[in-house]
Amino acid sequence: MHEHDLSYLQDILYFLLAAVVIVPLARQLRSSPVLGYLAAGVVIGPSLLGLIEETESILILAEFGIVFLLFAIGLELSVERLKVLKRYVFGLGTTQVVVTAAAIALVLIAFGQPPAAALVIGGGLALSSTAFVLQMLVERGELAARFGRVAFSILLLQDLAIVPLLALVPLLGAEGSSVLLALGLAAVKATAAVGLTLLAGRFLLRPVYRVVAQTRSTELFVATTLLVLLGTGYLMVLAGVSMALGAFLAGLLLSGTEYRHQVEADIRPFRGLLLGLFFMAVGLQIDLGLIAEHAVTVALAVVALMLGKALVIYGLCRAFGLPDEIAARVGPLLAQGGEFGFVLVGGGMVVGVVPPVTGQLALAVVAMTMVLTPLSAWAGQRLSHRIAQRQAASGGLPDIAEEVEDLQDHVVIAGFGRVGQTIAQVLAEAHVPYVGLDLDHDRVRRCRGLDLPVYYGDASQVDVLHTAGLERAKAAVITLDNPEAASHTVAALRERAPEIPIFVRARDLGHRDELEAQGATAVVPETIEASLQLAGIVLGALGAGDSATVIVEDYRRENYAKLGEIITPRGRRSVED
């Protein structure tokens, strides 16, 4: 093995060792794994131990972490759901990038920076960290929450904005070039590339995957997924668009196919490993010596950027009609600089637009704000909860229609007691959006204080179902403990949306039959299920082993028919007794 190859192997070993040692420590301290990866990068980087000196090749590989992350996000969306978000993507997102970049550029010009350098740095700092924010939202199961959807919409537009910004950097360093003409050509080129990708993907992906799936080769299926992901990214790069956006489009195209879940499972290990490498690579870029030398300047710039950006985003969210508590959550969440800031400022330094010292300080600010993202997000969460609690205490509850207008393919949960809350937690873990309806005012108020999408309303009323977006929902779950109310709700749901799947909690077998007659898709009798689970545990404890599972599943498979033979005609009272 050549010495050059040994050097690469040594760097990989250092990365793995740092991750194995430091990331578990971060988890023990109940900190985000992202911070653990960042700390690991700082420790092994030039600022401390100096185990890794050459960072360029590492950064190239680490960028694939963002590519895989956006591919996974695309898989969880759909074209229809993206259309619903267009107001926040193209309206709020565009306004945020333009206003934030202009404000930062004007401040830099006021401090004596050349206009070209101010424009590049302003554009770079206006973009937030897609990798950091989305990873945090996914880890916490908050991507489906309203503030998560708004934050994702802004981040998506920021990824689109990198196209003209990257085209602008070399033009600012050239003499006599037409900036507007070049930007126009870049926009046309990017639009054509995106359109062709969507067109080709729509007609080619499903047939290709159908052929590959018929081979029953796991390796070939994974290879096909990697080819689609990286191939789309490569074509986007040739057209002047970021690879990350190409990966997102590939995921979006696959999201509507029957192969989506297998694709998601296949890329999960790649995504986790490469994202960890990306965060460690960011840690490598943190120059502690430079930060110490200009500590006051960097500290003031970090505070000014995060506070100013949070306020701008908060104000724009309010201007676009978002509630106070949502705006207070989104602003601090997106207050940091992002990975594209490294690309833009670094590119500006290469072509001579950004002075070296100014560029290094700007990169230090980007890195430090990314490190502070969990703290900023926590502050926004606390502020949002305080606002929601204050509004709830004053008797005001949010309007359902206004808050769910951008929701698509969600689940309506009627009744948000212990059963409804458990279902909601599982849905959130799977990144499935939901809307909870409950008639307990205090319960709704407490849920709103926890930033949960729960609203006061009677699910058996047609108008309430309409405001909850039932026509755009993917399913409905009825968890009401009142049998009569549950039956009325199922009837109202079936009348309003004849095709929607309705899953219901029943009291017993008699109640189950009644709900099925009303049009329920699937019914789970809670007393029977609890009895079967308890019986299975008893059999297991008595040494029945696998036969216990077989017996219990046999009852379920026959839809509880055997149990009907041992229940008296007065079925409901017998079971309840």
Side-chain angles (χ1 to χ4, degrees), residues 252-339:
L252 193 66
L253 291 169
L254 282 169
S255 67
T257 70
E258 60 270 33
Y259 309 106
R260 167 197 157 191
H261 297 292
Q262 185 59 48
V263 168
E264 189 175 14
D266 288 339
I267 63 119
R268 189 175 293 119
F270 296 99
R271 184 185 71 181
L273 183 61
L274 291 171
L275 263 180
L277 181 60
F278 168 78
F279 295 129
M280 292 177 74
V282 172
L284 291 175
Q285 301 302 299
I286 298 176
D287 189 339
L288 297 181
L290 180 68
I291 293 173
E293 185 179 348
H294 300 276
V296 176
T297 302
V298 172
L300 290 175
V302 167
V303 172
L305 175 64
M306 298 196 77
L307 184 59
K309 199 170 175 181
L311 290 174
V312 167
I313 295 174
Y314 169 84
L316 291 175
C317 286
R318 293 293 289 147
F320 273 77
L322 289 166
D324 202 14
E325 67 269 21
I326 299 295
R329 191 77 184 270
V330 175
L333 184 65
L334 302 180
Q336 73 290 124
E339 46 277 356

Side-chain angles (χ1 to χ4, degrees), residues 459-463 465-466 470-471 476 478 486-502 515 517-521:
S460 65
Q461 295 184 7
V462 174
D463 290 341
L465 293 174
H466 174 70
L470 182 66
E471 291 80 1
I478 314 300
S487 298
H488 288 164
T489 303
V490 170
L493 281 166
R494 187 51 71 213
E495 178 183 357
R496 184 74 186 187
E499 302 300 324
I500 193 171
I502 305 174
L515 291 168
Q518 293 286 356
T521 306

